[in-house]
Amino acid sequence: MQSRALACWIPCAVVAVAMTTIAAFSDPPATVAAAEPAASRRAAASERRIADWPQWRGPERTGISHETDLLETWPKDGPPLVWKVSGLGGGYTTPSIAGGRIYGMGYRGEDEVVWARDLATGKEVWATRIAAANRHVGYGEGSRSTPTVDGDMLYCIGVSGDVAALETAGGKLRWHKNLVSDFGGSVPGWGYTESPLVDDGKVICTPGGAKGTLVALDKKNGNALWQSKEFSDGAAYSSVMPDDSGGTHQYVQMTGQSVAGVAAQNGRLLWRYPRSGPTAAIPTPVIHNNLVYATSGYGAGCNLIRLVSQGKQIKLEEVYANKVMVNHHGGVVLINDHIYGYSDGKGWVCQELVSGKMVWNEKNKLGKGAVAYADGRLYARAEDGTVALLEATPRGYVELGRFNQPDRSSQAAWAHPVIAGGKLFLRDQEILLCYDVREGASKAAVPAASRDGSEVAQTGRPTR
């Protein structure tokens, strides 16, 4: 596989879709018990969601921030830069934010490291090696998994499938597993890119392969609790979504061959929807009520399926399969029953979720990129480093400001934008930038102490 293949357009017809129904619901007592923790999880997420972005795509893994009172438009040169630091190490990791710290990953020399930085200044607090750097994958500049913060612990996945649990306080390694050697996985062509899901005491990740696509690890010690033997697709590049459709708590994942759901309790296959995601299936599925929306690039397009409970079975109903949204890897967000994101060949698109129809598209004003949402607006980051603020509206493409990220690296700006605590965070390989996007934010100079990062960051050497 050519290392630059991800950046290419490879037309490929979508394979005709068949629908599969599998008798797989748990017995009623187990189903009721599984629903209660889900409500508790949502309540806990609601309490912390304003200030934190503790995992991939935010508090609920949807790309949505629940913050308010943010800038409605941006000044000519963009929102004020609060600080900028360097020395992160190479990589495409999107940062996560929780408890006054920023967490991420990168390659420093021959090491793959996890790092923590102070939210107020960007200064490095600790950095821990979890594996050797694997530069033999496509785009071998560095890590691509976003760490997941859960209380006083941090969980992450390295390029070679190294799953690590670290203490947030000082970066001490608690346990380590490998998706290949421990669970029969195979490193995808561009490395493992998935960001782990922490749910009900388990760490859910995707080794892929004959032993089972998904594995659930005890978050305290890393021991395997189950592996999804009935679901054995190879790993792609998407991240797992939790869901409670049909009254059963489940985990939904997209691979190059299908989208499927397995029971959270034991990994049993609940349903599987065959879907061809040629070359690279990357974006995280979107789930709304009993609807599962999946999109990917290389000509695959988008699919919407409805999950219908029938006794102890889940019946699948295909709502549509079309090419309105062909999203490569920048992700999409669902706002007021409309999907927003970049579609290969069509540009930035607004699509009706339920009908699948395109509401509007804009091909010329902003290039391909990633998207997040906060306070009525889309934060779009193009691969060339341009960052734009767009109104999230089905009325059309409405731009409310833009700026060009300074100190661009030579690589595409693939890390997604993060909005947390009234700030916008942008990672570009070695550099991390923090902008003030609160209503009334004023221009401020970059603090001299954090202009070039901390001493640890400047040395480029990880500590243990």
Side-chain angles (χ1 to χ4, degrees), residues 442-454:
S442 58
K443 291 289 183 181
V446 180
S450 60
R451 223 171 253 150
D452 297 314
S454 65

Side-chain angles (χ1 to χ4, degrees), residues 94-380:
T94 297
S96 55
I97 296 171
R101 287 188 179 177
I102 310 168
Y103 301 93
M105 302 174 66
Y107 282 2
R108 297 183 181 179
E110 299 306 311
D111 298 319
E112 183 167 25
V113 305
V114 183
W115 46 257
R117 288 176 175 264
D118 179 73
L119 183 60
T121 65
K123 183 178 180 180
E124 187 159 288
V125 180
W126 55 257
T128 300
R129 179 188 188 276
I130 64 162
N134 180 356
R135 301 186 184 276
H136 302 292
V137 297
Y139 298 97
E141 289 81 16
S143 308
R144 41 269 268 154
S145 167
T146 294
T148 299
V149 184
D150 180 63
D152 60 358
M153 293 297 296
L154 181 77
Y155 302 88
C156 60
I157 301 176
V159 174
S160 299
D162 295 276
V163 185
L166 303 95
E167 296 176 358
T168 57
K172 180 180 179 181
L173 184 67
R174 284 271 193 91
W175 56 259
H176 171 276
K177 299 289 181 179
N178 184 272
L179 297 179
V180 177
S181 60
D182 293 319
F183 307 111
S186 178
V187 179
W190 289 280
Y192 279 104
T193 69
E194 177 189 24
S195 301
L197 170 68
V198 180
D199 181 78
D200 284 351
K202 302 184 292 291
V203 180
I204 312 300
C205 40
T206 310
K211 290 185 177 181
T213 303
L214 300 182
V215 65
L217 309 178
D218 187 321
K219 74 174 187 178
K220 294 180 179 179
N221 53 33
N223 293 339
L225 300 174
W226 52 254
Q227 195 159 354
S228 61
K229 295 180 181 179
E230 298 166 294
F231 178 38
S232 56
D233 291 359
Y237 305 93
S238 186
S239 294
V240 174
M241 282 292 291
D243 181 40
D244 295 306
S245 296
T248 292
H249 191 46
Q250 61 180 297
Y251 303 128
V252 176
Q253 178 61 301
M254 178 176 70
T255 70
Q257 296 78 47
S258 64
V259 182
V262 306
Q265 184 182 36
N266 54 23
R268 187 177 181 186
L269 183 63
L270 297 174
W271 56 271
R272 183 174 183 269
Y273 174 86
R275 176 189 184 275
S276 176
T279 307
I282 303 172
T284 301
V286 173
I287 301 175
H288 179 63
N289 295 329
N290 290 338
L291 299 173
V292 177
Y293 176 94
T295 179
S296 58
Y298 299 95
C302 58
N303 305 75
L304 185 70
I305 60 175
R306 180 177 286 110
L307 306 182
V308 181
S309 173
Q310 290 190 344
K312 293 187 177 182
Q313 293 185 338
I314 293 181
K315 179 183 177 182
L316 303 184
E317 296 178 355
E318 182 184 85
V319 182
Y320 58 77
N322 66 39
K323 303 290 182 70
V324 170
M325 183 64 73
V326 185
N327 186 263
H328 188 185
H329 52 60
V332 298
V333 293
L334 173 64
I335 308 297
N336 296 327
D337 298 320
H338 289 83
I339 294 285
Y340 297 90
Y342 187 92
S343 180
D344 289 340
K346 296 180 180 66
W348 289 90
V349 164
C350 172
Q351 177 187 28
E352 288 184 353
L353 173 68
V354 176
S355 71
K357 295 179 180 178
M358 184 167 67
V359 180
W360 58 257
N361 73 303
E362 174 53 62
K363 297 177 66 173
N364 301 317
K365 294 182 179 179
L366 183 68
K368 173 181 178 178
V371 65
Y373 169 91
D375 199 16
R377 289 161 285 277
L378 304 173
Y379 290 68

Side-chain angles (χ1 to χ4, degrees), residues 374-451:
D375 199 16
R377 289 161 285 277
L378 304 173
Y379 290 68
R381 186 190 195 191
E383 291 183 336
D384 66 2
T386 303
V387 185
L389 187 68
L390 312 177
E391 186 176 346
T393 174
R395 295 192 300 271
Y397 180 96
V398 180
E399 193 167 305
L400 304 170
R402 68 163 59 197
F403 68 94
N404 295 316
Q405 177 214 314
D407 301 310
R408 280 283 292 119
S409 74
S410 60
Q411 307 302 322
W414 283 342
H416 289 211
V418 168
I419 308 101
K423 305 296 193 298
L424 167 66
F425 298 88
L426 303 173
R427 193 258 176 94
D428 184 2
Q429 297 293 324
E430 293 271 354
I431 293 173
L432 181 65
L433 304 104
C434 172
Y435 292 87
D436 192 344
V437 292
R438 296 171 298 171
E439 186 64 49
S442 58
K443 291 289 183 181
V446 180
S450 60
R451 223 171 253 150

Side-chain angles (χ1 to χ4, degrees), residues 65-82:
S65 166
H66 297 273
E67 294 199 32
T68 57
D69 300 321
L70 303 181
L71 287 169
E72 296 182 0
T73 60
W74 286 348
K76 180 182 178 181
D77 297 326
L81 179 66
V82 180

